[in-house]
Amino acid sequence: MITLRPAAERGHANHGWLDSWHSFSFAGYFDPEHVHWGPLRVINEDRVAAGQGFGTHGHRDMEIISYVLQGALAHKDSMGNVERILPGEVQRMSAGTGITHSEFNHDHEGTTHFLQIWILPERSGIAPGYEQKRFDDAEKRGRLRLLVSPDAADGSLRIHQDARMYAGLFDGTEEGRLALAPGRLGYVHLVRGRATVNGRPLAAGDALLYRDEPEVRIEAGKEAEVLVFDLPDRPD
C-alpha cells in the first residue's frame, strides 16, 4: 500500500517570523490520520525570517534532525554546542534525559529554510548527544545517500532508533531505488523540484507513505531533492 500525502493538505501556521508546514500533528495542528508513521513523529518545513528564531526551549526523549536548505541556522544548546548549520549539512541532536537549545537566523535580510525532523527513540532516558556533518551534493547526485542510521554506517549520523534516512538529487534519467524489507515502513518526502516516485508524480512538499511494499523507486526528476526513510513499524 502506498498513500499520497499532498503538500497542500499539511498543517500550516504562519506566525510572521515563522512560516511552517507540518506533515504530522504538531502544536495547534492535529490530524488523527497523521500523528506519526512508525517512529517518524515530525517533519516541519520551516522558513525563519531574518533576525528571528526559536528562543531557548527544552526537549527530552526525541531524536531531532535539522536539514538546512537555504540560509544558515545558528544553534546553541545546554551541552555547550554553539554551531552554524549550512545547506548540505545535517545536524542530529539526541534529547534523551533532557536538553535546552535555541535556533536563530542571524542574517539581516535572508530567510532560513530548513526541515526539522523528529524520530522517537527506541528507549527513553538515554544520554543527550550531538553530531553535525556535511554531505556534498556529489554524494547525493543520482543516488540515495545514507545520512542517518542506528549504526553510523557509511559515515552517517547515529540515532537511537532502527531507522534510516537517505537523501538524493535527481534529474532526467537518473534513478534511485531503495529496497524495503518485509515488515518495514517507508516514507518519501519531496523536498523540492519534481519527480516520479513509484509511478506517482510528486511536487515539492508531497509525500508517500509505504506499507507492505518491496521498494521505493525514484525517476524522472526535475531538479528534485528527495528524503527517504526506512522505518520500523510500531503500534499506535
Side-chain angles (χ1 to χ4, degrees):
M1 179 183 71
I2 302 176
T3 304
L4 172 66
R5 170 71 155 150
E9 294 183 7
R10 295 176 293 174
H12 184 224
N14 192 334
H15 304 285
W17 68 272
L18 171 67
D19 188 3
S20 185
W21 290 88
H22 310 311
S23 295
F24 298 95
S25 296
F26 188 86
Y29 165 65
F30 178 72
D31 181 345
E33 298 299 317
H34 296 280
V35 176
H36 65 87
W37 190 241
L40 180 59
R41 178 62 187 85
V42 167
I43 300 180
N44 287 346
E45 182 179 2
D46 291 341
R47 290 175 172 86
V48 181
Q52 302 292 325
F54 303 88
T56 301
H57 59 283
H59 296 281
R60 64 183 302 120
D61 294 327
M62 193 66 70
E63 302 291 294
I64 300 171
I65 300 162
S66 296
Y67 187 92
V68 176
L69 301 168
Q70 175 188 341
L73 187 67
H75 168 96
K76 183 178 182 180
D77 65 46
S78 55
M79 293 177 283
N81 298 296
V82 180
E83 302 289 348
R84 188 166 179 257
I85 311 162
L86 300 172
E89 296 181 337
V90 182
Q91 176 206 67
R92 184 275 301 171
M93 185 172 64
S94 296
T97 54
I99 57 94
T100 59
H101 76 135
S102 62
E103 299 161 294
F104 272 87
N105 172 13
H106 289 311
D107 191 272
H108 296 298
E109 296 182 0
T111 297
T112 293
H113 182 196
F114 77 108
L115 298 180
Q116 183 176 160
I117 299 160
W118 295 5
I119 295 176
L120 296 163
E122 60 190 1
R123 59 184 176 86
S124 60
I126 64 173
Y130 183 96
E131 285 184 283
Q132 183 176 329
K133 185 172 181 178
R134 178 172 182 80
F135 297 89
D136 291 331
D137 285 356
E139 300 180 66
K140 296 171 280 187
R141 171 54 56 197
R143 62 187 289 261
L144 290 171
R145 172 54 160 110
L146 182 65
L147 303 183
V148 175
S149 72
D151 54 3
D154 298 329
S156 60
L157 304 178
R158 180 176 180 265
I159 59 169
H160 298 85
Q161 178 56 268
D162 182 21
R164 292 162 181 81
M165 185 179 95
Y166 301 79
L169 303 172
F170 299 95
D171 270 294
T173 60
E174 296 171 335
E175 293 188 7
R177 293 174 182 262
L178 179 69
L180 298 173
R184 302 284 292 182
L185 303 177
Y187 191 95
V188 169
H189 180 88
L190 194 67
V191 178
R192 48 190 164 196
R194 294 180 176 274
T196 299
V197 184
N198 290 83
R200 294 157 174 81
L202 300 184
D206 290 342
L208 294 176
L209 293 75
Y210 295 69
R211 183 187 295 276
D212 298 324
E213 292 289 334
E215 72 170 1
V216 173
R217 186 176 69 256
I218 302 162
E219 56 194 346
K222 296 180 180 178
E223 299 182 344
E225 184 167 1
V226 186
L227 292 183
V228 179
F229 298 83
D230 177 0
L231 305 160
D233 203 351
R234 64 186 296 273
D236 291 332

